[in-house]
Amino acid sequence: MRTSRWVVVTYTIIILAGIIAALPNVLTAKQLAALPGWFPKQQVTLGLDLQGGSHLVLEVDAAALKTDRLRSLLDDVRGALRKERINASSARLAGDAIVVNIADEAQRAKALATLQSLAVPVSGLGLGAGKPDIEVTQTDNQIKVVLTEAGQRDKLDAALQQSLEIVRQRVDQVGVAEPTIQRVGSDRMLVQLPGLQDPTRLRELLGSTAKMTFHMVANVANGEPLPRGVSMLPDAKSGAQYPVEDRVALDGARLTDARAGFDQRTQEPLVSFRFDSVGARQFAEITAANVGKPFAIVLDGKVLSAPSIREPITGGSGQISGSFSVEETVTLSALLRAGALPAPLTVIEERTVGPDLGGDVIKMGIYTGIAGFVAVVLFMVALYGTWGMIANFALLLHLILTFGVLTLIGGTLTLPGIAGIILGIGFGVDANILINERIREESKKGLSAFAALDNGFKRAYSTIVDANVTSLIATGLLFMFGSGPVRGFAITMFLGTCLSMFTAVSVTRILMAAVVRRKRLKTITIEPLVRFFPEKTSISFMKARYLGIGMSIFLSLASIGLFFKPGLNYGIDFKGGIQVEIATSTPADLAQLRNTLGGLNIGEVALQQIGSDGNVLIRVQRQEGGETAQTAAVDTIKAAVQKLDPSVKFERTEVVGPKVSGELAQSGILAVVLAALAMLVYIWWRFEWNFAIGAIATLVLDTTKMVGFFALFGLDFNLTAIAALLTIIGYSVNDKVVVYDRMRENLRLYKKMPLREIIDMSINQVFARCIYTSVAILLSMLPMAIWGGSAVENFAIPMVFGVFIATTSSIFIAAPILLLLGDWWQHRQAGREPSTEVVATRA
């Protein structure tokens, strides 16, 4: 039990560093400013669900990008053929290829060589690096030009990189503080803007391609057929149609500046723009040649304005007006200054939280966290008296270091993250309980104080490691397949699990040894202040094995039935759709609200009152027409609600498109399946095949009951529910590992004892520990389940139920399955090698 001085110094430095890193999180801005310059001032970043803001996932329109590339390539093909005096009129688009028909063999050979020279090697270090971006082939009289996969990937990558920069510029133009803009995958980007309350404006700012062009308006009377090269384009405001020439007179890429302002005569909002030198010259030539004719300013296929040219404009500047609001001119000028996107961006996921709701959530998270921590502290004192205070100090240290590490790594704290910290406290208690129970057992064998400490920590250590590894498996899969707040939960759980190995094992070991050394204790007596259980139990658990397994199978079958009818209440994470939480100024009239929203032609609408009378959750089914239809429906819903109550507050808005919901559902199922398989492999490796099969069979039964619980009570089955499910899977295996570890130990000690007696004895030895750990986790989660509100009920409430299921299944299901497998293996081995019957089952 002696610890090197260098180890103590290292631990002390780690703890002090963690405390210093965590300290800024409890100080005000004024107090932070008063600290010396060397002192760290960084605080944990709050997630959007805590501080309010908007979260959008945008996807580059790969199909539109491909179409633009093919059109551009068609122009290049025709230009190259003209340059070589080859007839270019036969070049045309045919599906995803450009086809050129040339009858003359000499001309065809010349054209083939010319078009092959258009190919450019793909740059970069990716899989397609060095390969050509186009492929040119010949079949009979036909030459075909197609885009290669490597070329398409390269264009998509370049478009996403360019879009990221343009989006950053656009966000900077409107002055949003501390935005997060980052790439996600090969064709998506994540944009998080804290504090922004109007996602409609954000979608306009980010989703608009902002491709501005200037066209002449054709002289076509109403009802006349459109001549070739003329298209009807709608007005951006009124929807009126303009016959606009397809030929671009002047490209908006020549713009150098755009500013929002007001007309000096009418005081109407407008946008002033300026061209570069080339654009100014072209603009002057166009206006000089077309005095008296209308000139269309087109943005993304819609006419912003179509003024008549009164006189030549030679100064290289102009104005766009047309019944704009001030906000619209600010957004439009920001779009024009930042430039056009290379391809349209589609909003495929949107989540917005109002700052008021975020503030309430922080308060509730803090209150429920403190309540859970205090409950656990009191419970540990009741269990272990003075020694429980050492465990509580380790828990407090665990909490401080969690915040310290989160601050150092720049982690983001979300509401599920707070739940993860609270749950981490509960799991931290598990290690302390294991250690104290082991030390108590060793003391009762008559060992001296240091010997009891040494043996207690050694015997508990392997169990703690096995239990924590199973939790880390579930946590790692959550991080891999989760997104947003769920990842925040995974990070805090991962930190909590790792830090518990330091605080509950290493630090507690030094502190307990120091107490024994200072007080010169000969023996250690760990007695509870309140005795919850008899000191020793001798319950014949295996007598009820058939009843336990039968009851479990019955409940699981009933849960499967509930899965089919009434079924799970899938949240928008998995089925797509719209979810809007509103807070009305007066008690909400649900009937009136239902009638109003029902008349909007947006499909099935469900209303649910949450919290007070004025808080209502509006759910709308996924809209036909893809992601664009989803975002349009949100604007319709908000306008209708504001008409009923102009002072309504939109606390939370979530929009999940069909593509994202399908991916989330697939990744959620995959995470659960992989977690079960990974734990099966680990238990098989650490124990034996029959232990692994027993654990997985029990896990399947536990999981089906959890699914039945969600179906029975109609709780939202979303990403948060998947987090709860994976956490319960981790805890369930954790609990079984503790029971299995004692069985394995006893199998080695009592090789002649019947398997049934060993299992009963092992369960009795760990029975108190299983109950105590479960109670500690329940105490940590119960305040959040009761007062946490709708934001965490899909996590906290199932966790309470899941802990009860996991604890009972370890005793009444996993152990009987192990006995049945052991008996079967005994009979099988007895038929082959009767002399080694007993040893084979206890190896």
Side-chain angles (χ1 to χ4, degrees):
M1 292 302 296
R2 291 195 175 275
T3 307
S4 165
R5 180 175 296 178
W6 288 109
V7 171
V8 175
V9 170
T10 303
Y11 287 176
T12 304
I13 291 171
I14 291 171
I15 292 168
L16 287 175
I19 293 171
I20 291 170
L23 190 59
N25 293 293
V26 296
L27 299 178
T28 63
K30 189 176 180 180
Q31 290 170 330
L32 282 174
L35 291 173
W38 58 267
F39 202 94
K41 297 178 176 61
Q42 184 181 355
Q43 294 180 317
V44 171
T45 304
L46 296 180
L48 295 183
D49 56 348
L50 296 179
Q51 65 172 318
S54 293
H55 159 113
L56 284 91
V57 177
L58 300 104
E59 184 177 65
V60 175
D61 191 335
L65 187 68
K66 185 178 181 181
T67 302
D68 285 348
R69 172 65 179 135
L70 284 170
R71 286 174 180 167
S72 172
L73 186 60
L74 179 60
D75 291 339
D76 293 343
V77 166
R78 286 173 174 169
L81 293 176
R82 286 194 200 100
K83 192 175 180 181
E84 297 296 326
R85 301 183 183 280
I86 301 171
N87 181 18
S89 60
S90 64
R92 59 186 175 84
L93 276 174
D96 291 339
I98 296 168
V99 176
V100 184
N101 290 305
I102 301 175
D104 184 81
E105 186 176 348
Q107 291 270 21
R108 191 166 59 249
K110 188 177 180 182
L112 182 64
T114 300
L115 297 182
Q116 284 175 335
S117 68
L118 294 176
V120 178
V122 173
S123 59
L125 302 173
L127 293 174
K131 295 181 180 178
D133 64 339
I134 61 171
E135 184 179 13
V136 183
T137 56
Q138 177 188 337
T139 306
D140 298 329
N141 295 340
Q142 190 180 79
I143 299 174
K144 185 180 285 187
V145 184
V146 296
L147 303 174
T148 63
E149 187 178 343
Q152 290 181 59
R153 276 202 308 267
D154 183 57
K155 290 294 180 185
L156 185 60
D157 182 70
L160 184 58
Q161 291 292 353
Q162 187 180 348
S163 298
L164 280 167
E165 292 306 314
I166 292 172
V167 165
R168 282 194 185 97
Q169 292 176 37
R170 290 182 181 183
V171 171
D172 289 342
Q173 296 284 354
V174 295
V176 177
E178 299 180 6
T180 299
I181 303 168
Q182 62 190 42
R183 179 172 182 162
V184 181
S186 62
D187 60 351
R188 294 178 186 175
M189 71 173 75
L190 168 67
V191 180
Q192 290 185 330
L193 305 178
L196 191 72
Q197 298 181 49
D198 186 6
T200 304
R201 184 181 171 207
L202 179 62
R203 287 199 305 272
E204 290 174 359
L205 186 69
L206 303 184
S208 174
T209 310
K211 186 175 183 181
M212 177 176 269
T213 49
F214 297 81
H215 304 251
M216 297 306 302
V217 177
N219 187 16
V220 179
N222 287 334
E224 285 187 13
L226 293 176
R228 187 177 180 183
V230 175
S231 301
M232 297 297 289
L233 296 182
D235 184 274
K237 284 285 186 179
S238 64
Q241 299 289 316
Y242 291 88
V244 177
E245 292 183 3
D246 293 341
R247 186 179 67 84
V248 176
L250 181 58
D251 198 308
R254 293 295 178 186
L255 288 172
T256 58
D257 194 19
R259 299 288 168 186
F262 294 90
D263 190 302
Q264 292 182 358
R265 292 184 300 105
T266 63
Q267 293 301 306
E268 288 185 351
L270 52 77
V271 175
S272 302
F273 59 85
R274 180 173 293 280
F275 291 108
D276 61 15
S277 58
V278 176
R281 187 179 69 250
Q282 292 177 348
F283 195 46
E285 291 171 356
I286 293 166
T287 54
N290 295 282
V291 173
K293 296 180 181 179
F295 191 54
I297 304 170
V298 179
L299 181 72
D300 293 343
K302 293 182 180 179
V303 178
L304 290 178
S305 179
S308 293
I309 302 171
R310 297 175 185 171
E311 57 187 14
I313 303 172
T314 57
S317 61
Q319 294 177 337
I320 307 170
S321 60
S323 303
F324 294 119
S325 67
V326 175
E327 290 79 9
E328 286 171 335
T329 59
V330 171
T331 300
L332 178 57
S333 61
L335 290 171
L336 297 180
R337 283 196 301 274
L341 290 168
L345 291 175
T346 306
V347 179
I348 58 175
E349 183 182 356
E350 174 198 322
R351 300 178 194 271
T352 302
V353 176
D356 292 343
L357 180 62
D360 292 342
V361 166
I362 291 175
K363 288 179 186 175
M364 198 53 66
I366 292 172
Y367 294 157
T368 54
I370 291 172
F373 185 78
V374 169
V376 170
V377 165
L378 293 175
F379 183 63
M380 291 300 288
V381 172
L383 279 183
Y384 303 117
T386 307
W387 297 104
M389 291 305 297
I390 293 178
N392 288 334
F393 174 77
L395 287 179
L396 180 61
L397 201 58
H398 174 275
L399 186 62
I400 293 170
L401 292 181
T402 301
F403 275 97
V405 175
L406 273 177
T407 305
L408 288 173
I409 66 174
T412 300
L413 184 63
T414 61
L415 182 59
I418 293 176
I421 291 173
I422 295 169
L423 190 60
I425 292 170
F427 281 160
V429 170
D430 180 39
N432 288 123
I433 290 175
L434 274 170
I435 290 166
N436 279 285
E437 291 295 322
R438 277 292 193 175
I439 293 171
R440 179 189 282 171
E441 286 180 19
E442 297 301 318
S443 295
K444 290 188 180 299
K445 292 177 183 177
L447 295 179
S448 66
F450 278 114
L453 277 180
D454 193 36
N455 282 3
F457 273 96
K458 280 181 180 176
R459 293 182 185 278
Y461 186 74
S462 64
T463 308
I464 292 169
V465 169
D466 286 336
N468 283 346
V469 167
T470 56
S471 295
L472 288 174
I473 289 171
T475 304
L477 289 165
L478 262 180
F479 184 80
M480 286 172 59
F481 295 100
S483 65
V486 175
R487 278 196 162 191
F489 168 78
I491 289 170
T492 54
M493 273 299 298
F494 178 84
L495 289 178
T497 304
C498 294
L499 287 172
S500 69
M501 291 293 294
F502 174 66
T503 58
V505 179
S506 302
V507 175
T508 303
R509 184 175 183 270
I510 291 174
L511 291 175
M512 293 184 83
V515 169
V516 171
R517 194 173 289 113
R518 176 161 294 194
K519 292 189 176 182
R520 298 185 180 182
L521 298 177
K522 299 297 182 184
T523 58
I524 291 180
T525 304
I526 301 179
E527 292 298 333
L529 295 181
V530 180
R531 189 170 293 281
F532 298 99
F533 272 94
E535 189 168 339
K536 190 175 181 181
T537 58
S538 55
I539 304 169
S540 298
F541 291 101
M542 291 305 97
K543 284 185 177 179
R545 62 186 183 277
Y546 295 116
L547 177 64
I549 293 175
M551 182 65 71
S552 179
I553 292 173
F554 171 76
L555 291 175
S556 292
L557 290 174
S559 296
I560 293 171
L562 289 170
F563 173 76
F564 288 105
K565 190 174 182 181
L568 290 171
N569 180 24
Y570 291 104
I572 64 169
D573 288 336
F574 293 151
K575 68 179 182 181
I578 300 164
Q579 192 165 282
V580 181
E581 185 179 333
I582 63 172
T584 55
S585 54
T586 57
D589 187 341
L590 293 183
Q592 184 186 24
L593 191 59
R594 188 174 286 108
N595 290 335
T596 301
L597 297 176
L600 297 178
N601 196 28
I602 53 175
E604 184 182 345
V605 178
L607 302 180
Q608 179 185 348
Q609 208 153 29
I610 54 174
S612 65
D613 294 338
N615 287 80
V616 180
L617 188 66
I618 303 169
R619 296 181 182 176
V620 181
Q621 70 177 55
R622 190 172 74 191
Q623 303 296 297
E624 298 297 328
E627 277 75 10
T628 307
Q630 296 271 96
T631 54
V634 173
D635 298 336
T636 306
I637 293 166
K638 289 187 174 181
V641 173
Q642 279 180 323
K643 193 173 181 182
L644 287 177
D645 184 358
S647 60
V648 69
K649 289 183 180 179
F650 295 99
E651 301 281 24
R652 181 190 290 120
T653 305
E654 296 184 45
V655 183
V656 179
K659 183 179 289 188
V660 172
S661 62
E663 291 171 359
L664 292 177
Q666 184 179 359
S667 62
I669 294 169
L670 192 61
V672 173
V673 172
L674 288 178
L677 290 175
M679 291 175 189
L680 169 67
V681 171
Y682 182 77
I683 293 175
W684 199 313
W685 173 62
R686 287 291 288 147
F687 295 88
E688 290 180 16
W689 65 269
N690 46 355
F691 286 89
I693 292 173
I696 292 304
T698 312
L699 208 57
V700 170
L701 295 171
D702 288 354
T703 305
T704 53
K705 293 186 192 73
M706 287 293 296
V707 171
F709 180 81
F710 275 100
L712 183 63
F713 291 96
L715 295 172
D716 270 6
F717 196 78
N718 50 22
L719 281 177
T720 309
I722 289 290
L725 201 58
L726 278 172
T727 307
I728 284 299
I729 286 173
Y731 176 70
S732 179
V733 176
N734 175 314
D735 205 55
K736 283 150 194 60
V737 163
V738 173
V739 177
Y740 282 172
D741 190 71
R742 185 57 68 97
M743 289 179 187
R744 178 176 60 180
E745 184 181 322
N746 286 332
L747 282 168
R748 290 168 179 165
L749 290 173
Y750 307 102
K751 293 186 178 181
K752 301 293 185 181
M753 186 181 291
L755 184 59
R756 176 175 166 175
E757 291 180 22
I758 287 180
I759 290 175
D760 269 337
M761 179 178 67
S762 301
I763 295 175
N764 277 290
Q765 287 172 346
V766 298
F767 187 51
R769 175 265 158 201
C770 290
I771 301 300
Y772 291 158
T773 299
S774 299
V775 169
I777 292 176
L778 287 175
L779 288 174
S780 68
M781 292 304 300
L782 208 54
M784 184 163 275
I786 297 171
W787 299 298
S790 60
V792 290
E793 66 178 9
N794 294 334
F795 178 84
I797 296 175
M799 275 299 301
V800 171
F801 174 75
V803 168
F804 172 77
I805 288 295
T807 306
T808 53
S809 68
S810 299
I811 297 168
F812 296 105
I813 303 167
I817 290 175
L818 185 64
L819 177 60
L820 292 173
L821 289 171
D823 286 344
W824 170 79
W825 187 252
Q826 269 189 342
H827 293 313
R828 189 169 180 270
Q829 290 295 94
R832 294 181 179 182
E833 302 176 44
S835 60
T836 60
E837 175 187 359
V838 176
V839 176
T841 61
R842 291 164 173 75

